[in-house]
Amino acid sequence: MAQIVGGFIMPHDPLITGNPEIADAGQVERVNAAFARVVERVKELKADTAIVIGDDHFTMFGPHCLPQYLIGIGDVEGPEENWLRMERQQVPNNTALAEHIMNFGFDRGFDWAVAKSLVVDHGTMIPIHMAATPAGLRTIPIYTAAGVTPLLRTKRARQLGQMIGEAVAAFPGNDRVVVYGTGGISHWVGTAEMGRVNVEFDQLVLGMVERGDVDGLVNLSDEYVLEHGGNGALEIRNWIVAMAAMPAGIRGELLVYEPMPPWITGIGIAELKIAA
């Protein structure tokens, strides 16, 4: 049977590859080292597939179509943006497992939006480039409405994650899966406060990750997040999905935290460790 063998929380900041030189070199080095540690851990876990939870930024979708959650089950390539300093490339997809998760969800009241062909943006491509491709993983991209309104409700994000975890466990293959929850933490996008980082808010959220407190993240109101973490921090929905997909009893191990105003966000990377 397939199983989830690990999970990670990580940023998908496009400036990680698009403009790394504008940030403090020491911070950049520590962030890159943490991504390298994720790759090492994925190899140690003998994973072969990454489910990458990201969100759109009006790059692929728009007012004409705003899915609450979408799964890519076929051809995947990226990035959509031509300024991320990476070549457009095919991204190997675990299509059998992706279709299984899709159908498992359909049968349980999760009406997926589905892409049989998908060009992904930085919301999943940065994590794929930094932590999936170097580990030789196939990737299943999942997009949530965490960046543009109407937003996926946090309780539904938890239910979505739980369903994904159950779907993987029900798959008859021998796949070893890691889940990447991407985005966040504090950042203000396209507002007068753009470039602000709230370390106190970031530490609050990362503390919940370290305790495995997915309910704490679910119970943070959007009003609180907007005030203290900015509109970009609403992306913690992706973290909720990833944490909820994990087996019970997880704890987070922080690999790096760097407040990085030049990259307009607080950067956090953590491993979600499964209880022995």
Side-chain angles (χ1 to χ4, degrees), residues 13-15 83 186-197 229-232 260-265:
D13 188 335
L15 298 176
W83 52 270
S186 65
H187 59 300
W188 283 255
V189 181
T191 74
E193 294 181 278
M194 191 164 176
R196 176 188 171 196
V197 173
N231 56 345
M260 300 181 69
W263 281 1
I264 72 168
T265 187

Side-chain angles (χ1 to χ4, degrees), residues 143-239:
Y143 276 83
T144 74
V148 178
T149 59
L151 296 166
L152 177 66
R153 301 302 190 256
T154 55
K155 290 182 179 178
R156 190 57 166 170
R158 178 174 55 195
Q159 293 169 348
L160 178 64
Q162 291 168 340
M163 181 275 290
I164 291 170
E166 293 168 1
V168 172
F171 188 62
N174 294 319
D175 308 66
R176 294 177 63 84
V177 179
V178 287
V179 183
Y180 294 171
T182 81
I185 322 169
S186 65
H187 59 300
W188 283 255
V189 181
T191 74
E193 294 181 278
M194 191 164 176
R196 176 188 171 196
V197 173
N198 186 343
V199 173
E200 183 178 355
F201 174 84
D202 292 348
Q203 291 174 339
L204 171 71
V205 171
L206 289 171
M208 293 179 184
V209 171
E210 289 180 295
R211 296 189 298 275
D213 184 11
V214 68
D215 290 340
L217 293 178
V218 169
N219 291 330
L220 286 176
S221 70
D222 287 349
E223 292 75 18
Y224 180 88
V225 172
L226 284 167
E227 179 180 355
H228 298 280
N231 56 345
L234 295 166
E235 292 176 336
I236 61 174
R237 285 161 166 75
N238 300 330
W239 297 22

Side-chain angles (χ1 to χ4, degrees), residues 93-118:
N93 189 353
N94 187 335
T95 55
L97 179 57
E99 289 187 8
H100 168 80
I101 294 170
M102 176 193 72
N103 286 316
F104 191 95
F106 283 158
D107 290 341
R108 287 156 182 81
F110 290 83
D111 296 324
W112 288 105
V114 178
K116 294 184 177 181
S117 178
L118 187 64

Side-chain angles (χ1 to χ4, degrees), residues 60-124:
M60 303 181 305
F61 312 123
H64 61 287
C65 180
L66 291 168
Q68 287 286 283
Y69 39 88
L70 174 144
I71 186 167
I73 64 167
D75 295 333
V76 178
E77 64 179 280
E80 172 65 29
E81 304 97 329
N82 62 8
W83 52 270
L84 294 182
R85 298 184 183 177
M86 65 178 82
E87 295 292 328
R88 177 78 70 89
Q89 59 194 274
Q90 293 292 318
V91 178
N93 189 353
N94 187 335
T95 55
L97 179 57
E99 289 187 8
H100 168 80
I101 294 170
M102 176 193 72
N103 286 316
F104 191 95
F106 283 158
D107 290 341
R108 287 156 182 81
F110 290 83
D111 296 324
W112 288 105
V114 178
K116 294 184 177 181
S117 178
L118 187 64
V119 180
V120 296
D121 80 335
H122 70 269
T124 59

